[in-house]
Amino acid sequence: MQECAYCKDVNKLEDGRCPSCGRRSAKKMDMRYEGAVRRSQMRDRTLIDKVWRFFSSVRNGMYLLILTILATAIGTILPQRAYIPIGRMPGEFYAAEYGAFGRLYHYLGLDQLYSSWWYMTLLGLLGASILIASIDRFFPLYRALKMQPVQRKDHFLKRQMYVKDDVILDPGRLMKEIRAKRYHVRQDGESYLAEKNRFARWGPYVNHIGLLLVLLGAFLRLFPFFYQDEFVWIREGETAVVPDTDQSLFIKNERFSVDTYDADDPKFEAAIEQEGRAIPKSFMTDITVYGAEEHIAGDVPDLKPLKQMQVSVNHPVHAAGFTIYQSGYQLNEFSSLTFRAENQDGSTADFRVDTENPQPSYELDNGLHAELIDYYPDYRLEEDKVITKTKYPRNPAFVFDISDGDGHKERLFVTLDDAVPATGTDNYSVRAVDYDTHHVSGLSVKRDWTLPVFLLGGVIFMIGLIQGLYWQHRRIWIKRQTDGSYLIAGHTNKHASSFERELDLIWDSYEKGGSS
């Protein structure tokens, strides 16, 4: 059963002809692009045409979008490398926390997925698909809507979704009724074209502009000028350069302080006992930010103080276009250790090793010579191998070659608590007798100028979404026939039943002689 396009009688059309009114029902016209020819629909001639056709295909675009979504989802299974605990080695962290899957995740580079070349390539292909598909459809549609005539052929009108024959005695009053529904009416002779909400047709293209801006924001994050996310440990009293700033930005740690919960407070007593250590309540750093003029690498830069401020957790500060966050701290980190070396005659001598800048060799007062062979700032044993967990001196270990003037040499592995001879002889001994510590503040230094691009893209995307979803492009053609009646046709790009109800209301109001 079908509805006749003319008399609206619902019956079984015989050979496409309505048995009630006798008229032949025509196939509805595809009005998406008003019949305009798109480049992608032309016969392939060159390689560029084939590439254009591939990227303008909505089906191919959907495949690229699905691949991008899947890749993005995979990147959220485990935390990205930027969000693992500060100081942990990535390979060690993923293997320790997530086992074989974590090791594989790190091995495949998925821990840095969002900056990987293949993910960026996928985003580029998706962006090309959106851009080319938009261009392929925008200009034909623009020309079709911009230059649409008022007068149309009968076969064009009869293939619209709403078709009606009627007698109109007062076209001027009917136009008044149509204008009251916010239609814009044009007249050519005794034909009329009423149109409203044409802007709704551009909603998908506005969407695409928003998506392209979001993709552009993702690409801009590859450039340090637009996006930087650095982390720097700074000892109390130390001035450190912020990485990847061409030595133009320095931060000095004036003073670091930490406040802990009171262990005698009954409210926190149980939690502190369970934790087994003092629980920090807040910690903050007094810093001075310096800018440096251009200088030759290796020269001591001339630092110009820019700002003094206090940064604490959840209270970032801004300086020189960067946002500085208090992200971590390390209490009582070793700044230097004093060792006592003893020769085979029992004579001893002390020497001090700076954990930040250890010297390669030390001449001792008892005639011994200590040569630093290796240094592990945060050592531990792993599968019979000595490794350093981090590059920060939290549990330092040293390998020394101890020799005297007679050419005898012994190799010692020295930690805070012990010294192990590696050569099997023990004529000499070295042990730690004193140490100095300091507090270290961990600061995150970020600059993100891509956020406005993401925000603008999101706003434009939502505007396009609302524009395309909540309005409909509606048109009414009215053409005088030779017998004096009028052929009325209507089309909307969505919500056909609502459109028909609106036309019925216009007609009812016209026939009753009133004004809507």
Side-chain angles (χ1 to χ4, degrees), residues 173-444:
R173 188 161 58 81
L174 177 61
M175 293 305 114
K176 185 178 178 182
E177 298 289 342
I178 293 176
R179 286 193 181 94
K181 293 293 184 182
R182 301 189 302 278
Y183 280 84
H184 173 68
V185 178
R186 286 194 291 147
Q187 181 179 1
D188 185 359
E190 292 184 290
S191 297
Y192 301 88
L193 169 60
E195 183 182 20
K196 75 173 182 180
N197 298 338
R198 185 194 290 183
F199 71 92
R201 297 290 296 276
W202 307 118
Y205 305 99
V206 176
N207 269 342
H208 290 178
I209 293 173
L211 286 175
L212 288 173
L213 282 173
V214 171
L215 293 176
L216 176 64
F219 276 110
L220 290 179
R221 286 197 161 210
L222 296 176
F223 300 95
F225 178 78
F226 291 98
Y227 180 77
Q228 275 187 272
D229 186 359
E230 309 293 345
F231 186 87
V232 57
W233 288 106
I234 312 177
R235 298 174 175 179
E236 277 185 314
E238 182 187 39
T239 301
V241 61
V242 178
D244 295 330
T245 58
D246 293 331
Q247 294 196 341
S248 62
L249 187 69
F250 290 76
I251 299 177
K252 182 178 181 181
N253 180 351
E254 303 284 1
R255 188 176 71 90
F256 174 78
S257 58
V258 58
D259 185 19
T260 58
Y261 286 100
D262 185 359
D264 297 329
D265 192 329
K267 289 190 297 185
F268 310 116
E269 189 175 359
I272 294 173
E273 184 176 353
Q274 183 179 1
E275 187 71 14
R277 63 181 179 88
I279 299 176
K281 185 177 182 181
S282 65
F283 48 98
M284 61 190 71
T285 310
D286 295 327
I287 61 172
T288 301
V289 178
Y290 294 93
E293 302 292 338
E294 290 189 5
H295 59 280
I296 300 174
D299 285 356
V300 178
D302 183 15
L303 300 184
K304 177 183 178 183
L306 300 177
K307 220 168 183 179
Q308 285 186 328
M309 61 198 86
Q310 185 180 74
V311 56
S312 60
V313 178
N314 298 325
H315 293 86
V317 295
H318 305 276
F322 290 86
T323 304
I324 303 170
Y325 299 84
Q326 178 71 66
S327 299
Y329 67 91
Q330 181 67 37
L331 298 179
N332 301 318
E333 190 173 88
F334 293 97
S335 58
S336 67
L337 291 96
T338 301
F339 295 100
R340 180 163 296 165
E342 182 177 351
N343 62 18
Q344 54 187 352
D345 298 330
S347 176
T348 62
D350 295 345
F351 63 101
R352 180 174 174 273
V353 178
D354 189 326
T355 56
E356 186 68 18
N357 296 298
Q359 301 298 314
S361 62
Y362 301 85
E363 296 293 341
L364 310 184
D365 294 340
N366 60 353
L368 294 178
H369 174 81
E371 184 178 358
L372 181 60
I373 303 301
D374 215 340
Y375 168 42
Y376 304 92
D378 191 8
Y379 97 98
R380 76 174 187 179
L381 292 173
E382 184 175 281
E383 297 177 354
D384 298 329
K385 291 191 302 184
V386 180
I387 64 168
T388 182
K389 188 177 177 183
T390 68
K391 61 181 180 180
Y392 308 109
R394 295 165 184 167
N395 185 27
F398 304 84
V399 177
F400 290 108
D401 272 353
I402 308 296
S403 60
D404 55 22
D406 298 333
H408 179 70
K409 180 185 292 185
E410 291 184 7
R411 177 160 295 185
L412 297 175
F413 178 72
V414 183
T415 66
L416 287 173
D417 305 320
D418 200 5
V420 179
T423 53
T425 56
D426 54 358
N427 291 336
Y428 312 128
S429 68
V430 174
R431 66 180 187 277
V433 293
D434 198 5
Y435 57 84
D436 294 319
T437 61
H438 55 237
H439 300 329
V440 184
S441 179
L443 301 177
S444 291

Side-chain angles (χ1 to χ4, degrees), residues 466-504:
I466 296 170
Q467 181 180 345
L469 286 179
Y470 289 93
W471 283 275
Q472 308 92 44
H473 181 209
R474 294 177 172 180
R475 281 173 289 179
I476 306 170
W477 292 273
I478 300 175
K479 181 180 180 182
R480 185 180 175 87
Q481 306 287 74
T482 54
D483 61 357
S485 65
Y486 281 83
L487 176 60
I488 303 159
H491 182 271
T492 181
N493 63 328
K494 61 169 70 77
H495 300 165
S497 59
S498 170
F499 178 52
E500 290 183 5
R501 284 197 300 273
E502 184 180 61
L503 290 176
D504 292 340

Side-chain angles (χ1 to χ4, degrees), residues 449-462:
W449 288 352
T450 64
L451 287 180
V453 180
F454 282 114
L455 179 62
L456 180 63
V459 170
I460 291 177
F461 179 83
M462 290 305 298

